[in-house]
Structures are given as C-alpha cells and as structure tokens.
Amino acid sequence: MANLVGALRGEITRLSKKVVRDETAIMQKMSVQYRRAIADLKRRIAELEKKVGIIEKPLLGKPVAEQAPAVEVESLRFSAKGLAKLRKRLGLTAREFGKLIGVSDQSVYNWEFGRARPMATQLAAIAVARAMGRREARARIEKLG
C-alpha cells in the first residue's frame, strides 16, 4: 500500500509539473511577444519625438533673436514709438519682451526711450516678433522659462 501511495504521489507530481511547464511556456511566449511590441512602440515614439523636437525646437526653444531669419538689415526700420506699441500690443512687460528677443529689460527701456538702437540681429528678432500674436508670444516666453 505504501508503494501505491508513493507511486500515485510521484505520478501526480510529475503530471502537475508538466501542466505547469506547458502553461508557463505559453505565458513566456506571450511575454516575449509583448516585450517585442513594447520595444517597437518605444522606438517609434523616440522617432516621433525626435521629429517633433526638430519642428518645435526652432519655434519655441530659443529666444526670437536666435531664430530670426536672415533679413536684410537695411530694409528694416526702427522706431522707439513703434517698439513700445508692439510691446503693448503683445501685452508684455519690458522684461518679458526682452526675454522674447534675447536681451535685457534695460535694453528694451533704452530702445523705447530712444537712448539706444538695437543691433542688426536684434532688429531681425523684433521683425519676427511683429508677426506674432499675444498667444504665440506668451507660449514662447513660457517655453523659455
């Protein structure tokens, strides 16, 4: 009788291990498939983020002065009153406008009161700022921190 109980116990153990191994093999195959799918999705996300970064970076990552297109400086005009009107139209403080252009707030004040004139790169940045609306200017300032 002891041999029969031992034989049954051994057989039950063997069969249960086999069933567990078969079920585990199925789960392992599914796990491998899911990991491959996740890795593929991560690669695709990285590619898309890189593309978005290429598009977004020039628009929002830098002050306007660094992204201003090459404009003929001779064709740009500067007026202290015009600059003050532009800043008020955008609803920005001198500090915010300076951050947008890439200069200090004191430079903006000096320009507005006619004590100084912007350099060529700054004139190009001001020309870019003229084409902006309030929302875009706010978004760029927030992006700059």
Side-chain angles (χ1 to χ4, degrees), residues 80-95:
K81 287 182 183 178
L83 182 69
K85 283 182 183 179
L86 172 65
R87 185 173 65 81
K88 286 186 176 81
R89 179 179 63 84
L90 294 175
L92 302 175
T93 64
R95 175 166 290 173

Side-chain angles (χ1 to χ4, degrees), residues 15-26:
L15 289 174
S16 63
K17 285 182 180 179
K18 182 182 178 203
V19 169
V20 168
R21 196 174 353 173
D22 291 343
E23 291 295 321
T24 306
I26 292 170

Side-chain angles (χ1 to χ4, degrees), residues 5-7 9 17 32 34-35 40-41 44 46-47 55 66 71 91 93 95 109 111 117 119 133-134 137:
V5 171
R9 186 175 290 154
K17 285 182 180 179
V32 167
Y34 291 145
R35 285 183 180 158
D40 183 47
L41 289 173
R44 289 177 57 196
E47 290 173 15
I55 294 169
E66 295 178 21
V71 179
T93 64
R95 175 166 290 173
Y109 281 124
W111 295 344
R117 262 185 78 74
M119 293 188 296
R134 278 185 180 217

Side-chain angles (χ1 to χ4, degrees), residues 43 76 100 106 121 138-139:
R43 276 191 296 275
L76 295 177
L100 182 68
Q106 191 61 45
T121 57
R138 283 278 172 215

Side-chain angles (χ1 to χ4, degrees), residues 7-129:
L8 282 174
R9 186 175 290 154
E11 189 64 22
I12 290 171
T13 303
R14 185 183 68 78
L15 289 174
S16 63
K17 285 182 180 179
K18 182 182 178 203
V19 169
V20 168
R21 196 174 353 173
D22 291 343
E23 291 295 321
T24 306
I26 292 170
M27 295 297 284
Q28 285 176 341
K29 287 180 184 177
M30 290 172 54
S31 177
V32 167
Q33 288 175 347
Y34 291 145
R35 285 183 180 158
R36 283 184 186 149
I38 289 170
D40 183 47
L41 289 173
K42 284 182 180 180
R43 276 191 296 275
R44 289 177 57 196
I45 287 172
E47 290 173 15
L48 292 174
E49 284 178 344
K50 190 183 290 185
K51 288 179 183 178
V52 167
I54 290 170
I55 294 169
E56 234 179 35
K57 191 173 183 180
L59 297 178
L60 298 175
K62 300 176 184 175
V64 176
E66 295 178 21
Q67 57 183 326
V71 179
E72 291 183 28
V73 180
E74 294 82 28
S75 66
L76 295 177
R77 293 178 294 147
F78 174 75
S79 159
K81 287 182 183 178
L83 182 69
K85 283 182 183 179
L86 172 65
R87 185 173 65 81
K88 286 186 176 81
R89 179 179 63 84
L90 294 175
L92 302 175
T93 64
R95 175 166 290 173
E96 292 169 336
F97 190 77
K99 188 182 283 188
L100 182 68
I101 300 297
V103 297
S104 69
D105 53 340
Q106 191 61 45
S107 295
V108 175
Y109 281 124
N110 288 336
W111 295 344
E112 285 183 358
F113 289 107
R115 295 185 197 127
R117 262 185 78 74
M119 293 188 296
T121 57
Q122 296 160 345
L123 277 175
I126 292 170
V128 171

